[in-house]
Amino acid sequence: LGLNGSLQILSQEERPLFTRHRILETMSSSNLSGLQSYVVNLGASEMAGCLDSASCLIQRGWSGIMLECNYQHSQNLRETYAHRKDVQIINQCLAPESWVSAAISAVWNFERVLPPTSSPFPMFLKIDVDNGDCDFLKAWLSAGYRPLFVEMELIHAFVPPEIQVNFPYIDVGQADFNKARASDVMSKGCSLGQVLSILGDGYSLLSWSYDKDINAQFVLDTWAKEHKIFVVPHSEISSFWHRAVSFREVWDDHNWHGMDLPLNFLLSDSSLAEKQTALNVAYEIVLQRSQ
C-alpha cells in the first residue's frame, strides 16, 4: 500500500528485491573466486542468527572486522568469536575520519598485508551506527576502497531520492553512547538520495528490505552485469522508489519520533522545492523536540 493509499504494483522480477537477505542469496549462487571474502561490519551489535547479513556471513566462516562502540556488546562478541583469529573486534567509538584507518589496520594485523584498492574490498560493507552513517560511507570510499556489496540503514527512506537528507556525525564517547542512541531517531542517519550521491553511478540497488528502518543493499554494477544479477540500475532507482515506497516507511505522527508532515505529500505533483521546504520545516520541529 503506497503512501498515498493507492495499491502499488511491482513487476514479477522486482519482487525478489524485497528481502533483507538478498545479498546472502546472491553470494551463495555466484562465483566469488578471486575476491577476498571479507566483511566489515560497522555497528556490529550482537545479532543472533542471520538477522544481520554481515554477522551471518562471519558466522558462516568469512573473515571479518566487527566494530562496535558499546562495551558490553563488544565483550559478548569477543566471547562468541574467541576461537576465530580471522575475526577482529574493535571496541571504539570511532569518528568518520578515523574509522577507515582502524579497520584497515585490523586487516593488516591478521593478514600482514594491506588490502589492495585495485579490486573490490571488502566483499561486504555494512554501516548501521545511527550517527552520521553517510559520513562513514563517504570516508570509506574516499580512502580508495570500493566494496562489492554495501548495506545501509535508511532511517529516512520515505524521502524522495531527488532530495538529500544527511544528519552529520556527532562525537560521542562510550559514556554517552546509550544516551545518543535513545535520542530522537529522526535526527539521525541519511536518505536514499544522499547514499546514491556518495556511491555514484557505479552501484546499483540489490535489495530494498521489508523492515522499518529500511535496509538497502547495493552492488557494483559491473559485477552484477557480469554475473547476470537482476538489479535496479542507478539511473532507475528514483523511478523504483516511487513505485516501491509504501506505508512501511511511514513514521506515525502519534509516535514520539514522528514527522509533522503528511507523507503522501511527498508523492504528490507538488514541486521539488515545495517538498524540500515542507521537509525542512518538519525536521526543524523534530530537532526542537529532541533538545
Side-chain angles (χ1 to χ4, degrees):
L1 190 65
L3 290 181
N4 57 7
S6 63
L7 186 64
Q8 308 289 75
I9 300 177
L10 299 167
S11 68
Q12 188 70 32
E13 63 180 356
E14 286 177 324
R15 292 175 189 173
L17 297 173
F18 291 89
T19 171
R20 67 182 302 154
H21 297 308
R22 189 157 187 247
I23 190 168
L24 302 179
E25 299 163 4
T26 301
M27 288 181 171
S28 64
S29 62
S30 303
N31 180 7
L32 300 173
S33 61
L35 298 174
Q36 282 187 287
S37 299
Y38 246 97
V39 177
V40 174
N41 190 351
L42 178 61
S45 190
E46 46 176 325
M47 298 289 187
C50 285
L51 185 61
D52 181 317
S53 295
S55 295
C56 182
L57 287 171
I58 293 175
Q59 291 169 22
R60 291 182 179 183
W62 287 39
S63 300
I65 311 298
M66 308 182 82
L67 303 99
E68 175 54 50
C69 181
N70 182 277
Y71 174 77
Q72 189 56 54
H73 288 338
S74 296
Q75 287 298 94
N76 293 341
L77 288 171
R78 287 179 175 131
E79 291 179 10
T80 300
Y81 295 103
H83 64 293
R84 294 276 304 279
K85 293 184 178 180
D86 62 329
V87 178
Q88 310 292 309
I89 311 298
I90 299 178
N91 176 216
Q92 296 181 51
C93 298
L94 297 165
E97 60 270 18
S98 60
W99 94 275
V100 179
S101 175
I104 296 302
S105 294
V107 175
W108 187 92
N109 288 340
F110 177 68
E111 302 283 355
R112 285 300 187 263
V113 63
L114 293 175
T117 56
S118 56
S119 58
F121 186 87
M123 182 87 73
F124 182 21
L125 170 65
K126 189 216 82 176
I127 297 177
D128 180 4
V129 291
D130 295 340
N131 185 3
D133 293 40
C134 275
D135 294 344
F136 284 95
L137 175 63
K138 186 175 182 179
W140 185 271
L141 296 176
S142 296
Y145 293 101
R146 288 170 62 80
L148 179 58
F149 297 96
V150 176
E151 178 176 308
M152 298 289 294
E153 181 188 52
L154 298 179
I155 293 174
H156 308 273
F158 58 85
V159 177
E162 298 83 9
I163 298 175
Q164 297 181 26
V165 173
N166 181 45
F167 286 92
Y169 171 79
I170 300 174
D171 186 27
V172 294
Q174 287 189 352
D176 297 324
F177 175 81
N178 291 329
K179 179 181 178 181
R181 289 293 296 269
S183 63
D184 201 317
V185 70
M186 296 304 291
S187 60
K188 295 182 174 66
C190 49
S191 67
L192 176 60
Q194 182 71 20
V195 172
L196 294 177
S197 174
I198 295 172
L199 287 176
D201 58 11
Y203 283 87
S204 296
L205 182 69
L206 180 72
S207 78
W208 183 262
S209 75
Y210 53 79
D211 305 285
K212 186 199 295 186
D213 309 333
I214 289 293
N215 289 287
Q217 296 175 345
F218 305 85
V219 60
L220 279 175
D221 188 63
T222 52
W223 186 89
K225 288 179 179 177
E226 179 185 347
H227 291 79
K228 297 180 172 56
I229 306 296
F230 176 77
V231 294
V232 182
H234 186 277
S235 61
E236 299 176 17
I237 293 177
S238 178
S239 174
F240 170 83
W241 178 90
H242 282 272
R243 298 195 309 280
V245 67
S246 73
F247 194 75
R248 294 171 307 134
E249 282 84 69
V250 174
W251 291 89
D252 188 343
D253 61 8
H254 291 91
N255 294 340
W256 64 275
H257 52 254
M259 293 283 285
D260 290 332
L261 174 69
L263 296 182
N264 56 1
F265 170 70
L266 299 176
L267 289 177
S268 70
D269 294 329
S270 300
S271 70
L272 199 60
E274 290 174 316
K275 294 176 183 179
Q276 179 74 74
T277 299
L279 276 168
N280 289 344
V281 171
Y283 279 123
E284 183 60 34
I285 293 173
V286 166
L287 291 174
Q288 290 175 3
R289 286 175 179 169
S290 63
Q291 291 177 352

